[in-house]
Amino acid sequence: MRTILVGIAMMVQTLCAGERVLVAPGSVPAYGYGYGGRTKAETSAKTGEITIHADDKQWSGWTFGIPAQDLAAIRSTGALHFEVKGAKGGERFRIGLLDGSNPDHKTQTRVDGWGYGDVRKEWSSVMVPLADFPTQGWWWDEKLQQERPADIDWSRIVEFRLSTDQDGNRTARNADNMTEIAIRNIRITSDAPGHYDAKAFWDSFHSDAPDLSLPFQSPKAIWNLRKGQIASLDSAWLPSGGPEGQRALELRFRFQDWVNAELDLSSMGAASQDWSRHAAIGLSILCPRSAASLRLALRDSTDESWSATTSLKKGWNRVVLPLSSFVRDPYWQPENAGRDRRLDLRGMKTFSILPMDGALPTTLSVAGIFLTNSVKKTEAPKGITKVLHNQIGYLPRFGKRFLVTNPGTETEWSLLDEKGKAAVFGKLVPSGRWDLSGDTMAMGDFSRWTKPGTYRLSVGDTVSSPFRIGAGLYRETLLKAVRSYWFQRASTGLPEKLAGPWARPAGHPDTGLSLHEVPGATGTRDVQGGWYDAGDYGKYVVNAGYTLGLLMDRHGLDPMLVKDGELRIPESGNGRSDLLDEIKWELDWILRMQDKDGGFFFKVATLKWDGMIMPHEAIAKRHIIGKSTTSTLNGTAVLARAARLYADIDAPFAKKCLSQARRGWDWAVKHPSVEAPSETGGSGGYGDQEFRDEFLWAATQLWLATGEARFKTKAEELTPALPPLPASHWRDVRNLAWMEMARPAFKGALGDSARSLLVERADSILIAIEG
């Protein structure tokens, strides 16, 4: 009791001094809770220190209660102060404040803590102006299992959070993948010493200085061209390449990871470094394509890096970016960068052009760089009325809704046929304000109209673009979506007669690959085939497992969904569904990824990113990397499902799948918590420390394939702790088990429970949509 009284006395004393102490020596937070794998925290009442041990293989955080704070009055002037230190130094973390106005959830606003000071092995002070915290935050919807936006109630801040990103501390974690960060002396002040109010500065900024051209074409001007390992960048001076015949700098690039054409402002003299009399930076730049993205970066007198983005149209562009639009780069700062978070306009050091269109070779020509005060003031957008409908169309007997932005006084809608005649009328239903766009919304519903045809929607004087009502509207979209897997095939070429303009030679034979981070395994393996995962050429069992689970589930519901020959793939014409042929291509690769002991390797990838090049051009050495419980259970589940799917189509293949699924299960039971490999230099991490959902899916599939009681018992054991989610994904596959158990043919208590839980989950999603 005495300790608590001392803590209260200290807090009262500091409040009188203009500070609000949130955690004082002699006291501990009222409560605390964490998330993210093995994340935990320790508190010391004696020192007021809180040490967070964050699991770097997860999105991790620790939240603790603080005395309720009304910060509304000091929102624009106050600051959050604390001291921090790390076990290794260089730790990256985020700081969050949570409100308590809603009894059902707390909304969090947060900033990147590393942007306000370096974390060292000894204590260092950090100050974060309250004005830097976003007004809009996010809260966790437990029913939908996702974050949702909401405005922060600054009159009642009740919790403080320190969080870390998954794999955000690769250079500052221990051998057990844990990151240790300690924090103390957390307090609020009504002012933020040294804080620069950029909005106030630019609101009051005025200068009549004429435009100033930067002499970047002079012989003294120094351009530094920098790039990543797999990028290409070169330049050339065009004597009369500008729009008015002036000299221009041509930049040719294919950056793939990054490129940077940096102009050293000091090389052109002091006049080119003083930007204090201008409000914007401008460019005269030629783009040969219809659209391109560009990032401009500045390094100011304190070496802080600032950036802003813009887009280019085909031809010559006069780009003018207000200096007020440049933000302190959250991803990279020079080691010696200042911390005042102020764009210091006197003594600017560099101006950089950073193209942002990775895979596309592009040439940009720069004919002018200038400072200007001719900046168009942006006016608040007026509420434009638009009718937003399904652009593909509507199926006759399904729901038909549309949205209207900013309807004003309009309360009715009409559905117009091809002759402009109203086919049906209705009332608009107000739907509130959409915060992310600032629009007031209304909804209309014409589900009762089922006649096929081409229509428009009319609201007052606003008429929509035409759309169709008709059967089979989504058929072409479906077939294109499924055919996309063929274009992702590895170890094979795509012939022009089938692929057309996307034809390409074969890449990545993937035979005789060595093993990396697979303890106890030696030799090489043949893991040819399969699908490339995404924008890189890695192949991952956990991603493949989830994808195959969905595709096989869909085919099982409707074996005639995709017919033989509809996808135009090499196997077309063999007498069975093209979808089954595409699924088998990936299943064959899954079988190759199984090791001799029954476990499944985790992924196939390089140790460095290939970049945006064609498969046959990507010749870096590839490896089979890792073996984990999640990859093994994914492989087990899909092979068990395949045993049922192909039983009447390819009995020998089905038998092999079931045999290998059993072996995979046995390995997983013996190794129930082997994590994903740590190697991520040229591939995704796809870490997952929750194994129960994979065990549930694999057990369910083996039970359905074999009828054996041991698998049913395991599924029944796991279901109470793993209710259905609103949507599954590669990290949590439980829904693939629940959807199997919910089939009408699935009898008994477990089937009844599955159907009830899925309906309940669907209802919660519907309520969220209606809200």
Side-chain angles (χ1 to χ4, degrees):
M1 182 68 180
R2 182 183 178 190
T3 299
I4 297 174
L5 290 174
V6 169
I8 294 173
M10 292 180 66
M11 186 175 297
V12 172
Q13 185 177 10
T14 52
L15 281 170
C16 294
E19 282 191 341
R20 311 182 192 187
V21 177
L22 304 185
V23 180
S27 67
V28 296
Y31 60 88
Y33 59 92
Y35 62 90
R38 299 161 293 161
T39 297
K40 61 181 181 178
E42 303 161 358
T43 59
S44 169
K46 182 178 180 181
T47 63
E49 296 174 12
I50 302 173
T51 303
I52 292 98
H53 304 271
D55 188 340
D56 198 52
K57 300 302 287 183
Q58 299 284 317
W59 301 96
S60 302
W62 190 268
T63 307
F64 53 86
I66 59 176
Q69 303 291 315
D70 183 352
L71 303 180
I74 62 170
R75 166 84 167 95
S76 60
T77 62
L80 171 70
H81 302 256
F82 55 88
E83 294 177 70
V84 65
K85 73 173 181 179
K88 292 195 171 187
E91 287 83 358
R92 293 168 72 90
F93 64 96
R94 301 180 190 273
I95 289 297
L97 298 173
L98 290 83
D99 68 24
S101 58
N102 192 311
D104 297 325
H105 62 257
K106 295 182 175 69
T107 302
Q108 178 191 197
T109 178
R110 69 178 189 178
V111 296
D112 300 334
W114 62 80
Y116 296 85
D118 291 324
V119 179
R120 300 190 288 269
K121 293 183 180 180
E122 56 278 344
W123 291 104
S124 59
S125 297
V126 176
M127 182 192 79
V128 183
L130 295 179
D132 284 3
F133 284 91
T135 298
Q136 187 184 74
W138 298 85
W139 60 276
W140 180 253
D141 189 324
E142 191 63 36
K143 286 188 175 181
L144 294 183
Q145 290 289 295
Q146 67 184 33
E147 286 189 323
R148 300 181 65 182
D151 287 340
I152 295 294
D153 180 1
W154 287 98
S155 68
R156 185 171 172 77
I157 301 298
V158 298
E159 290 184 347
F160 179 99
R161 176 176 295 169
L162 186 149
S163 60
T164 59
D165 293 344
Q166 184 183 41
D167 287 325
N169 283 289
R170 293 179 185 175
T171 61
R173 65 190 186 195
N174 61 25
D176 199 29
N177 294 318
M178 300 295 289
T179 300
E180 182 180 309
I181 304 172
I183 192 168
R184 72 179 184 187
N185 200 14
I186 308 169
R187 60 202 189 281
I188 299 284
T189 59
S190 58
D191 62 346
H195 171 55
Y196 168 66
D197 190 337
K199 184 178 184 302
F201 173 83
W202 288 112
D203 285 347
S204 62
F205 180 86
H206 176 74
S207 174
D208 294 323
D211 288 2
L212 175 66
S213 294
L214 302 183
F216 73 96
Q217 300 123 323
S218 74
K220 294 182 179 180
I222 298 175
W223 283 89
N224 296 305
L225 303 184
R226 300 187 173 92
K227 65 182 185 64
Q229 292 182 349
I230 56 177
S232 61
L233 171 65
D234 56 35
S235 64
W237 284 101
L238 307 178
S240 57
E244 299 175 1
Q246 70 268 49
R247 196 165 182 246
L249 176 65
E250 184 179 77
L251 298 170
R252 298 183 293 269
F253 65 89
R254 180 169 182 166
F255 69 96
Q256 301 172 26
D257 49 12
W258 64 273
V259 295
N260 181 359
E262 180 185 84
L263 175 61
D264 183 346
L265 298 172
S266 66
S267 67
M268 300 180 297
S272 295
Q273 292 186 266
D274 185 357
W275 294 19
S276 62
R277 300 177 63 213
H278 293 90
I281 177 75
L283 280 178
S284 176
I285 187 167
L286 174 67
C287 177
R289 301 207 323 269
S290 58
S293 298
L294 195 67
R295 187 157 66 101
L296 303 181
L298 308 173
R299 191 154 53 91
D300 66 15
S301 60
T302 61
D303 282 310
E304 287 184 282
S305 177
W306 301 78
S307 64
T309 58
T310 187
S311 58
L312 304 176
K313 298 181 293 185
K314 186 175 182 179
W316 281 100
N317 296 257
R318 189 179 188 273
V319 175
V320 176
L321 280 176
L323 295 174
S324 60
S325 67
F326 283 77
V327 297
R328 193 176 191 273
D329 198 309
Y331 302 107
W332 176 84
Q333 291 293 326
E335 290 185 7
N336 59 336
R339 298 285 184 183
D340 64 3
R341 308 182 71 82
R342 172 178 182 160
L343 179 53
D344 304 304
L345 300 176
R346 298 183 187 272
M348 297 290 290
K349 292 186 175 180
T350 63
F351 167 77
S352 298
I353 297 173
L354 299 94
M356 297 176 64
D357 291 310
L360 301 174
T362 299
T363 299
L364 299 176
S365 297
V366 181
I369 304 175
F370 55 91
L371 301 175
T372 183
N373 285 307
S374 299
V375 183
K376 293 182 180 178
K377 290 189 176 181
T378 56
E379 298 180 358
K382 296 180 180 179
I384 299 174
T385 303
K386 294 181 180 179
V387 178
L388 310 175
H389 58 77
N390 186 326
Q391 295 174 30
I392 295 177
Y394 298 87
L395 300 177
R397 299 188 181 279
F398 283 75
K400 304 178 192 68
R401 288 181 170 181
F402 66 95
L403 291 168
V404 180
T405 66
N406 308 301
T409 58
E410 300 294 340
T411 60
E412 298 183 346
W413 57 264
S414 301
L415 181 69
L416 307 179
D417 62 19
E418 293 183 69
K419 296 180 180 179
K421 182 180 178 181
V424 65
F425 304 86
K427 293 283 188 180
L428 292 174
V429 178
S431 300
R433 183 176 180 272
W434 184 248
D435 291 334
L436 297 180
S437 69
D439 291 312
T440 300
M441 308 299 295
M443 181 179 289
D445 190 327
F446 57 104
S447 300
R448 64 183 184 275
W449 189 259
T450 61
K451 184 178 179 181
T454 300
Y455 298 90
R456 293 175 183 261
L457 284 159
S458 171
V459 175
D461 294 331
T462 303
V463 180
S464 76
S465 58
F467 58 86
R468 291 175 58 208
I469 297 176
L473 291 179
Y474 298 101
R475 185 70 187 166
E476 183 180 357
T477 302
L478 167 71
L479 295 177
K480 285 182 177 180
V482 178
R483 191 171 188 249
S484 70
Y485 289 100
W486 176 65
F487 287 95
Q488 293 290 100
R489 286 190 185 186
S491 312
T492 186
L494 305 183
E496 186 175 359
K497 66 178 182 179
L498 293 177
W502 298 282
R504 59 169 172 81
H508 304 105
D510 286 345
T511 56
L513 296 193
S514 60
L515 304 174
H516 183 84
E517 210 175 322
V518 186
T522 59
T524 61
R525 302 289 192 278
D526 175 0
V527 288
Q528 62 181 291
W531 298 319
Y532 297 126
D533 179 66
D536 62 275
Y537 295 128
K539 301 187 292 188
Y540 307 82
V541 171
V542 292
N543 306 46
Y546 175 61
T547 303
L548 284 170
L550 291 173
L551 292 176
M552 289 192 288
D553 182 72
R554 191 63 188 86
H555 179 86
L557 288 172
D558 182 5
M560 298 304 293
L561 180 70
V562 178
K563 302 177 181 63
D564 183 26
E566 284 194 297
L567 297 185
R568 294 184 294 113
I569 58 178
E571 295 84 0
S572 292
N574 63 2
R576 68 184 182 195
S577 166
D578 282 353
L579 178 56
L580 282 180
D581 290 325
E582 197 58 59
I583 288 172
K584 187 175 183 300
W585 175 271
E586 186 76 344
L587 286 170
D588 287 338
W589 175 73
I590 290 285
L591 286 166
R592 296 186 188 104
M593 287 292 284
Q594 188 170 29
D595 200 6
K596 300 170 185 176
D597 61 1
F600 285 78
F601 299 119
F602 194 82
K603 60 187 175 184
V604 176
T606 55
L607 302 185
K608 290 185 178 180
W609 295 101
D610 286 314
M612 296 295 186
I613 54 180
M614 294 298 287
H616 63 283
E617 298 172 337
I619 57 175
K621 185 176 182 180
R622 288 160 69 84
H623 303 268
I624 298 169
I625 304 174
K627 185 194 298 180
S628 77
T629 302
T630 54
S631 58
T632 298
L633 288 170
N634 268 272
T636 297
V638 297
L639 291 181
R641 180 67 182 94
R644 291 189 291 134
L645 193 65
Y646 290 85
D648 297 329
I649 302 166
D650 189 340
F653 178 70
K655 183 177 180 181
K656 179 181 180 180
C657 287
L658 184 56
S659 173
Q660 299 307 96
R662 289 180 180 276
R663 295 183 64 234
W665 177 264
D666 292 341
W667 188 94
V669 169
K670 293 176 183 177
H671 306 86
S673 57
V674 179
E675 295 184 19
S678 60
E679 172 57 56
T680 56
S683 55
Y686 296 106
D688 182 3
Q689 293 174 318
E690 172 58 85
F691 307 104
R692 292 177 300 174
D693 55 292
E694 284 86 4
F695 268 109
L696 174 61
W697 183 30
T700 301
Q701 293 295 358
L702 280 167
W703 171 26
L704 296 175
T706 67
E708 295 179 16
R710 60 176 175 139
F711 299 122
K712 179 182 180 182
T713 300
K714 186 64 176 179
E716 291 174 331
E717 171 194 322
L718 291 169
T719 49
L722 297 169
L725 296 173
S728 55
H729 47 88
W730 65 262
R731 183 177 277 134
D732 200 319
V733 296
R734 70 181 74 178
N735 282 12
L736 294 174
W738 282 109
M739 287 189 289
E740 287 280 15
M741 292 184 286
R743 303 282 181 246
F746 208 98
K747 306 299 182 184
L750 201 52
D752 293 339
S753 175
R755 287 182 283 274
S756 175
L757 286 171
L758 284 178
V759 168
E760 180 183 329
R761 179 60 73 194
D763 286 343
S764 72
I765 295 172
L766 184 60
I767 290 170
I769 293 172
E770 297 293 346

